[in-house]
Amino acid sequence: MKKILFSLIVLLVFKASAQNLEFGKVSKQELLESTHKLDSSAVAAFLYKKAKTTYKYTLTNGFSMVTEFSIRIKIYKKEGLKWADFEIPYYVGYEKLADENVTILNANTYNIENGKIIKEKVLGESKFQESTNEFWKTKKITFPNVKEGSIIELKYRYKSENLSELPLFQYQYKIPVNFAQFITEIPPFFLYNVVQLGFVKVSHEDKIEPITVRYDNEHGQAEYLNYQQVKTKYEAVDVPKLIEEDYVRNMNNYYSKIAHELKTVQFPNQPPKQLASTWESVAKSIFEADEFGGELNKSDYFFKDLKRIVKSTDSTEVRLKVIFDYVKNKMNWNGNLGFFTKSGVVSAYNENSGNVAEINLMLIAMLKIVGIEANPVLLSTKTNGVTLFPNKSKFDYVIASAEVDGKRYLLDATCKNCSINNLPIRDLNDKGRLISKDGITSEIDLVSDNNSVNQMTMSFKIDSAGEVIGKVVNAYFDFEALKFRENISGASQENLIDNFEKKYSGFEVENYELVNDKLVDQPVYEKYTISNKNFGEILGDRIFFSPMLCFGLVQNPFKQNNRQFPINFLYPTRGKYLININIPKGYKIETLPESISIGIKQKQASFDFLISSNAEQITINSNLDVNATIIPAEDYDYLKNLFKLIIEKQTEKIVLKKI
C-alpha cells in the first residue's frame, strides 16, 4: 500500500510539473518561490524554454520553415529585471528569398497580489521593431509591471524561407534554465548536419512518423503531400548558469546551443543535391553582388585625387601607406557594420562618411588602381561571435588585405588610430576569410605573431626618510600603442595626471609629456616625474621598499580554481621593465630578491626577473612574455601559478641597512 501511495504522489507531482510547462499555466507556487531551487544566487531563471520547428509547403514557394518559441522566466532579484526586456533579431538581407519574419503571439507579466494571480498582457506599444542595419531587424518587447517575484511569458513565431540552417537554439544563459526542449520535424528530403556547442549534456530522441501536408494547387484546390518526417526531440534539465570568465574573446561562443546546417537535398526520383555551402560558393556570391563586387569596380570618383596623392613616389610600400592614410583621414566611419555598401562608395566619398564596407572597399579599389594586389577580408567582429558554417550572413565586417613583395598587410581605414597591420580590437575575433573575384578564398590570421611591447624605464632614488623620486618613460608599440591611444582619446593632460594620482594613492606626477601620440605609425611615449614622500617603510636602521614602485602586479587576474574556457589574450605581448635604483648614502644592501627565469609549457608564456647591484645602484631587468594568443583551458593552472609567482617576485621587498 505504501508503495502504491508513493507512486501516486510521484505521478501527481509529475503531472503538476508538466502542467507548469504549458504556456499560460503559471502557478502560485512558482510566483511565491523566492530563490531558485538549485542556485540561490540566481537573479532570474528560465522556468522553461521550448521551441518547435516545422515545415510548410506552397506550390509557388515550395518548403518554408516555421519555428514557435515559448519561454517562461522567473525574476528573483532586482538585478534580474533586465530579463524583462527582450530582443529578437532576424535577417532581412536575402536577394532571392522573402525577409524573415517574427510575430509576437502572446506575452504576459504575472504577479501575485492578495493571494491572487494577476496577469497583465503586453500591449502593442510595448512591442516594436527597429532596423539594426540594412540586413538585420530586431523585434523588441518590454514587459509591464515587472518586479522581484514576477514571472514573464513570451510566445513568438519565426518564419524563414532560408532552409540552409535552422534557428540557433540556445539553452544556456547567464541565469539557470530549469527545462529546455527543442523539437524539429524535418521532411525526409532535407538532411542537416547537427552541431552541439558547449559543455551541457543534452538528451535527444529520434523517430519517424507519417505526416500529411495540405496545399492549394494552381486552381486553388486542396491537394495533399504525404511523407515520413523525422521528428527529433532535444532536452536538457537543470542547466546551470554559465559563469563568465575573464580573458575570453566572446562568451557567447561558449554558451550551450544547437545548430543545424543543411547538407543534402533529395526529392523523390531525383539524385541527391549537396547543398552545404562552401567558402568558395560564399565568396563567389558575395563578389557577384552589386553592393560588393560592383562597388569595387568603380574608380572615376576618386581618380583625380588618387593621382595627386601618389604622384610624388614610385615606391609601392610608400604608396600603400599614403593611400591608407588618405582614406583613413578623409573618411569618417558612421558606426554601421556590414560587408555590403548602403549608400554606395561614390556617395560616401563625396560626403566623407560611410559604413565599414564603403570605406574599406574604397580603399581596396584605390590600391588596385596603383597596381597593388589588394583583396577584401571578411570577418565576424568580437561581439558577433564565430561562424559555425560557411554562410555569408554570419559575417558583419570587411577589411583590406594588400600584398607587397610577397608580404601581406592588413588595413582597416575606419580606425583613425590604427596603423598598417594594427587592426582595431573589435576586428580581432578568430580568423578572417580572404576572398577574391575568381572565388578563391583562404583563412588568414588577423594578428601578427610578433609581441606588442609595453616597455617601462624607471630611474629613481630613495632617501633615508623613505621618500622616493624618479623619472619614468613608458613606451607603447603596435597593438599596445593603439590600445593606449584609444584609452587616452579625448582626455586632457590634467585628466591623465588626476587619474594616475587617484589610482596610485600617495604618488604625485609632474612634468608629464606625451610624444608621438598623434603619429599612429610610431611608438607612443609617456614621460613624467614621479614622487612619494612616504614610500619606503622605516624600521629602525632599515628601509623596506618594493622595486616596482606602484607598477607591479598585486592581484592575480586568474582567481578561479578551475577553468572551462580557453584563455584569450587577443594578441601576443611583452611587458618589459628596466629599473635603476640609486642607494642613499650611508646605506648598504642587506636583502635583494633573487633572480628568476621561468616559463610554461611550449613557451606559451614566460617571466624573467634579473637583478644585479653594486655599492651605489640596483638594476632590474624584467620581462613578461605572453607568446600565445590562446592558451588551452587544461593549461590554466600553469598560467595561474606563473602569475602567482610574478606577484610574489614583484612585491618582494628590497631591504637597505644603515651603515
Side-chain angles (χ1 to χ4, degrees):
M1 184 65 182
K2 288 183 178 179
K3 287 185 177 180
I4 294 173
L5 182 60
F6 176 77
S7 299
L8 182 59
I9 292 171
V10 170
L11 182 60
L12 290 173
V13 170
F14 175 79
K15 285 187 175 180
S17 176
Q19 286 178 346
N20 287 340
L21 297 181
E22 294 179 25
F23 192 89
K25 302 292 185 179
V26 174
S27 68
K28 285 186 179 180
Q29 181 182 354
E30 289 172 315
L31 282 164
L32 291 171
E33 191 177 70
S34 59
T35 58
H36 186 261
K37 60 179 182 177
L38 298 178
D39 183 356
S40 60
S41 68
V43 299
F46 282 85
L47 301 184
Y48 71 73
K49 176 179 180 181
K50 297 190 290 184
K52 184 177 182 179
T53 295
T54 58
Y55 286 69
K56 306 298 181 184
Y57 181 81
T58 64
L59 191 64
T60 305
N61 298 321
F63 283 97
S64 61
M65 176 177 32
V66 177
T67 304
E68 270 198 16
F69 290 85
S70 61
I71 63 169
R72 180 183 297 166
I73 294 178
K74 167 75 176 183
I75 309 298
Y76 293 110
K77 300 179 181 180
K78 184 178 179 180
E79 296 85 352
L81 294 176
K82 62 183 179 181
W83 289 90
D85 294 326
F86 254 81
E87 296 186 0
I88 308 167
Y90 56 100
Y91 193 69
V92 293
Y94 297 114
E95 298 168 24
K96 299 179 181 179
L97 301 176
D99 289 347
E100 293 176 357
N101 177 264
V102 170
T103 304
I104 306 302
L105 302 175
N106 206 334
N108 306 295
T109 301
Y110 296 87
N111 287 299
I112 192 162
E113 296 179 9
N114 300 320
K116 293 184 178 181
I117 297 176
I118 305 299
K119 173 182 173 182
E120 294 184 62
K121 190 176 180 64
V122 174
L123 301 177
E125 60 267 24
S126 297
K127 297 179 288 188
F128 59 95
Q129 174 180 292
E130 69 176 30
S131 293
T132 307
N133 55 46
E134 58 266 42
F135 306 110
W136 289 90
K137 289 185 177 180
T138 301
K139 188 80 76 173
K140 295 190 174 184
I141 307 100
T142 300
F143 288 82
N145 198 24
V146 180
K147 51 194 174 185
E148 293 176 63
S150 298
I151 287 176
I152 61 173
E153 276 195 322
L154 170 64
K155 181 181 285 189
Y156 66 93
R157 181 184 296 124
Y158 161 84
K159 292 183 179 180
S160 178
E161 292 182 2
N162 177 20
L163 306 184
S164 64
E165 50 184 321
L166 271 59
L168 191 72
F169 184 75
Q170 182 172 325
Y171 53 93
Q172 187 179 34
Y173 294 86
K174 294 180 182 179
I175 58 177
V177 178
N178 292 3
F179 178 79
Q181 181 189 79
F182 185 29
I183 296 174
T184 62
E185 295 179 351
I186 301 175
F189 323 118
F190 307 109
L191 178 63
Y192 286 85
N193 289 324
V194 182
V195 176
Q196 292 189 33
L197 303 173
F199 301 90
V200 174
K201 183 179 179 181
V202 177
S203 66
H204 88 276
E205 173 187 310
D206 297 314
K207 68 177 181 178
I208 307 296
E209 59 182 22
I211 188 171
T212 299
V213 177
R214 181 193 182 280
Y215 67 96
D216 293 333
N217 64 20
E218 62 270 23
H219 305 295
Q221 299 169 329
E223 292 198 12
Y224 298 90
L225 184 63
N226 299 300
Y227 54 80
Q228 300 280 327
Q229 70 179 6
V230 181
K231 181 175 182 177
T232 303
K233 182 190 293 184
Y234 304 91
E235 287 187 349
V237 179
D238 293 335
V239 180
K241 66 185 179 186
L242 188 71
I243 305 298
E244 297 204 347
E245 298 175 344
D246 293 330
Y247 294 94
V248 173
R249 180 187 288 121
N250 183 348
M251 282 303 304
N252 284 332
N253 296 336
Y254 297 101
Y255 285 97
S256 294
K257 57 193 79 169
I258 299 170
H260 292 74
E261 180 204 26
L262 184 59
K263 179 181 179 183
T264 306
V265 172
Q266 183 174 16
F267 289 103
N269 304 317
Q270 293 183 18
K273 184 178 181 182
Q274 300 297 321
L275 280 194
S277 298
T278 64
W279 288 119
E280 288 71 21
S281 64
V282 168
K284 185 178 179 182
S285 68
I286 290 173
F287 254 105
E288 289 175 350
D290 291 339
E291 300 89 349
F292 194 92
E295 298 290 275
L296 280 171
N297 292 328
K298 298 176 182 178
S299 60
D300 290 347
Y301 66 98
F302 63 66
F303 193 78
K304 287 184 180 179
D305 291 332
L306 181 64
K307 188 176 180 180
R308 171 178 53 82
I309 64 175
V310 300
K311 68 178 182 179
S312 60
T313 179
D314 293 326
S315 166
T316 305
E317 287 192 355
V318 173
R319 285 187 169 190
L320 174 67
K321 182 181 183 308
V322 166
I323 293 171
F324 177 57
D325 287 344
Y326 174 75
V327 175
K328 185 175 62 171
N329 294 325
K330 173 181 172 60
M331 300 302 298
N332 297 292
W333 180 40
N334 61 19
N336 291 331
L337 306 179
F339 54 83
F340 281 158
T341 60
K342 186 174 184 181
S343 301
V345 290
V346 177
S347 175
Y349 189 81
N350 291 333
E351 295 177 7
N352 301 329
S353 175
N355 68 7
V356 167
E358 286 155 351
I359 293 173
N360 284 328
L361 293 182
M362 179 191 304
L363 170 63
I364 294 167
M366 288 186 182
L367 296 175
K368 284 179 174 289
I369 287 292
V370 301
I372 295 174
E373 183 181 346
N375 288 293
V377 176
L378 298 172
L379 56 90
S380 173
T381 54
K382 279 184 63 185
T383 55
N384 195 50
V386 296
T387 55
L388 299 177
F389 311 117
N391 189 323
K392 67 181 180 182
S393 69
K394 298 304 180 185
F395 292 111
D396 67 340
Y397 210 90
V398 59
I399 60 174
S401 167
E403 287 196 28
V404 177
D405 297 330
K407 186 176 180 180
R408 174 176 288 132
Y409 300 91
L410 298 178
L411 310 96
D412 185 348
T414 68
C415 174
K416 300 291 188 184
N417 286 322
C418 290
S419 56
I420 294 173
N421 272 345
N422 272 4
L423 303 175
I425 299 301
R426 62 178 171 269
D427 295 5
L428 305 184
N429 183 37
D430 201 43
K431 297 180 183 294
R433 174 65 53 174
L434 186 145
I435 61 174
S436 60
K437 188 174 183 178
D438 54 11
I440 295 176
T441 176
S442 59
E443 192 175 66
I444 64 169
D445 290 322
L446 298 173
V447 180
S448 167
D449 291 334
N450 297 325
N451 294 52
S452 294
V453 176
N454 176 5
Q455 177 174 300
M456 176 177 284
T457 303
M458 291 190 288
S459 180
F460 66 89
K461 61 182 179 180
I462 187 165
D463 66 15
S464 59
E467 181 176 358
V468 66
I469 186 169
K471 293 183 177 180
V472 178
V473 178
N474 270 327
Y476 304 91
F477 299 80
D478 302 317
F479 281 107
E480 288 293 297
L482 171 60
K483 185 170 74 172
F484 178 77
R485 289 185 173 101
E486 295 285 306
N487 287 340
I488 67 168
S489 179
S492 66
Q493 180 172 305
E494 290 75 16
N495 290 147
L496 296 174
I497 294 173
D498 286 345
N499 290 339
F500 182 96
E501 291 180 346
K502 287 177 183 177
K503 183 177 180 180
Y504 303 114
S505 179
F507 283 88
E508 295 182 358
V509 172
E510 293 181 344
N511 306 317
Y512 187 88
E513 180 186 5
L514 284 173
V515 180
N516 291 345
D517 54 312
K518 305 299 183 185
L519 302 176
V520 299
D521 296 310
Q522 301 295 321
V524 60
Y525 296 89
E526 191 182 25
K527 300 179 179 181
Y528 50 90
T529 301
I530 190 171
S531 62
N532 187 326
K533 293 183 178 180
N534 300 296
F535 179 70
E537 184 180 4
I538 310 297
L539 292 175
D541 60 353
R542 290 174 173 81
I543 304 173
F544 299 77
F545 67 96
S546 168
M548 306 298 294
L549 295 183
C550 53
F551 299 108
L553 277 176
V554 293
Q555 284 191 346
N556 195 328
F558 305 104
K559 301 180 179 67
Q560 294 169 286
N561 293 328
N562 300 298
R563 177 91 181 191
Q564 265 193 309
F565 313 120
I567 302 96
N568 188 292
F569 287 98
L570 291 180
Y571 51 85
T573 59
R574 164 171 279 198
K576 188 175 183 66
Y577 291 93
L578 302 172
I579 304 171
N580 289 310
I581 307 165
N582 291 325
I583 300 170
K585 290 184 179 180
Y587 282 81
K588 67 177 182 178
I589 300 169
E590 182 177 69
T591 305
L592 282 181
E594 292 184 1
S595 297
I596 191 172
S597 183
I598 189 172
I600 64 175
K601 57 190 295 188
Q602 299 176 338
K603 297 183 179 179
Q604 294 168 333
S606 62
F607 174 64
D608 300 311
F609 186 90
L610 307 176
I611 189 166
S612 59
S613 64
N614 55 39
E616 298 179 347
Q617 192 175 72
I618 301 168
T619 301
I620 298 171
N621 189 331
S622 179
N623 297 322
L624 170 59
D625 289 323
V626 178
N627 302 312
T629 56
I630 297 178
I631 294 178
E634 54 264 30
D635 295 337
Y636 172 70
D637 285 343
Y638 296 111
L639 187 67
K640 180 180 178 180
N641 290 333
L642 176 67
F643 274 79
K644 180 175 180 289
L645 187 148
I646 292 170
I647 292 169
E648 290 173 354
K649 187 56 60 177
Q650 291 188 345
T651 56
E652 193 173 348
K653 302 292 187 182
I654 291 175
V655 182
L656 304 180
K657 184 178 180 181
K658 198 169 187 178
I659 300 173

